[in-house]
Amino acid sequence: MAKTTISKKLDKGAAVELKNLSKVYATREGRGVHALDDINLNFEPGSFVACVGPSGCGKSTLLSLLAGITNPTCGEIYIDNKLVEKPHPKVGVVFQSDLLLYWRTVLDNILLPIEIKKLSPKDYLVKAQNLLRQVGLDGFGNKLPAELSGGMRQRAAICRALIQEPDLLLMDEPFGALDALTREQMILDLQKMWMVLGNTILFITHGIEEAVFLADRVLVMSPRPGQIDLDLQIDLKRPRPWSDTHEDPKFARYVRQVREIFESKGILVAH
């Protein structure tokens, strides 16, 4: 990704409140799957929160609830003191798969949320082109997704989320399918982007080190039904250079705290 020069800093990110949040999915057998149980959280405006946990613990369910894609069985979610009952206009979502429409050009994919909201794509064309340039995709706007690498497609997906200038950006393992070098660069550039924009981010990941490196706060979720086992504040200076941060004893201590939770649950086996 090219040098991040996103021009507009948001006044503030969104404030988020989760109150007594639970989610049970119905099954054909009628038993139900208890995905989340009594989650209570507050996200400060402009905070970067990472959530880690084992597969099936409800991380993606939590993101879907915040996005308004699905409704809670119990409890309430508030974004800027407004109850979430449907997809919120100032929330952007980036999934593990880029989900680009293969028959649309990169530029048309980025402008898709604008079309869905029945706004004029022409009014957002320059902004979309600027975003492409800022993530190192200048000149690729007329390409089809099949003509791009995995990392390039994911950058386009991030542009699609940013075109609406979301106060809350939800990211569901967005770098999980990338190779190691591309993933490292994307992590560094996400940090730069967030430091410029100042929006609120919830970043879902399986990677402990990834979570500690990026976030101000790491939430560790228990196996299903998902609850918060650890709410860890990360006190590391920004910007965080890759090598220096990974060699910082404080970084290692935070990573160890998270690992110890998983080891105590038998999710990771200590040798």
Side-chain angles (χ1 to χ4, degrees), residues 42-189:
N42 289 279
F43 300 162
E44 293 293 326
S47 59
F48 196 127
V49 181
C51 181
V52 296
S55 296
C57 73
K59 300 186 302 295
S60 295
T61 294
L62 178 62
L63 184 141
S64 296
L65 290 167
L66 280 164
I69 297 171
T70 186
N71 295 318
T73 305
C74 299
E76 298 170 325
I77 299 172
Y78 294 88
I79 295 177
D80 286 336
N81 297 315
K82 293 183 179 179
L83 181 66
V84 175
E85 298 179 292
K86 59 183 180 180
H88 195 283
K90 296 299 285 184
V91 174
V93 185
V94 181
F95 297 98
Q96 180 173 358
S97 173
D98 57 76
L99 299 179
L100 298 179
L101 302 179
Y102 68 88
W103 63 89
R104 294 177 67 110
T105 66
V106 169
L107 195 57
D108 286 341
N109 267 287
I110 292 170
L111 291 168
L112 181 60
I114 303 303
E115 295 178 29
I116 290 173
K117 291 186 175 182
K118 301 188 184 304
L119 301 173
S120 171
K122 291 182 179 179
D123 294 341
Y124 288 82
L125 182 58
V126 171
K127 180 178 178 181
Q129 291 170 333
N130 287 338
L131 283 169
L132 282 173
R133 182 169 60 255
Q134 291 161 6
V135 301
L137 292 179
D138 193 21
F140 288 88
N142 291 322
K143 300 290 186 181
L144 293 172
E147 300 176 272
L148 274 61
S149 68
M152 294 167 77
R153 290 196 299 271
Q154 196 63 313
R155 293 173 197 174
I158 291 173
C159 289
R160 182 179 56 195
L162 292 176
I163 192 73
Q164 308 170 76
E165 295 182 354
D167 292 337
L168 174 61
L169 182 60
L170 306 173
M171 309 188 80
D172 192 2
E173 299 188 60
F175 310 142
L178 303 180
D179 65 85
L181 289 176
T182 303
R183 183 184 187 120
E184 179 178 324
Q185 189 59 58
M186 293 287 282
I187 289 169
L188 289 168
D189 288 318

Side-chain angles (χ1 to χ4, degrees), residues 197-260:
L197 286 178
N199 54 355
T200 305
I201 293 182
L202 175 64
F203 186 89
I204 303 294
T205 179
H206 279 105
I208 298 173
E209 293 191 357
E210 183 176 73
V212 172
F213 181 87
L214 280 169
D216 299 317
R217 179 182 177 193
V218 175
L219 305 174
V220 181
M221 291 187 67
S222 68
R224 191 174 64 236
Q227 296 178 310
I228 305 302
D229 274 347
L230 178 67
D231 188 341
L232 181 63
Q233 298 293 326
I234 306 298
D235 180 22
L236 296 170
K237 292 181 179 180
R238 293 189 187 273
R240 298 173 183 171
W242 185 266
S243 295
D244 290 349
T245 301
H246 282 76
E247 293 168 3
D248 189 328
K250 289 175 65 177
F251 177 86
R253 188 162 59 250
Y254 291 134
V255 170
R256 186 166 61 250
Q257 283 182 261
V258 177
R259 289 187 63 88
E260 285 173 352

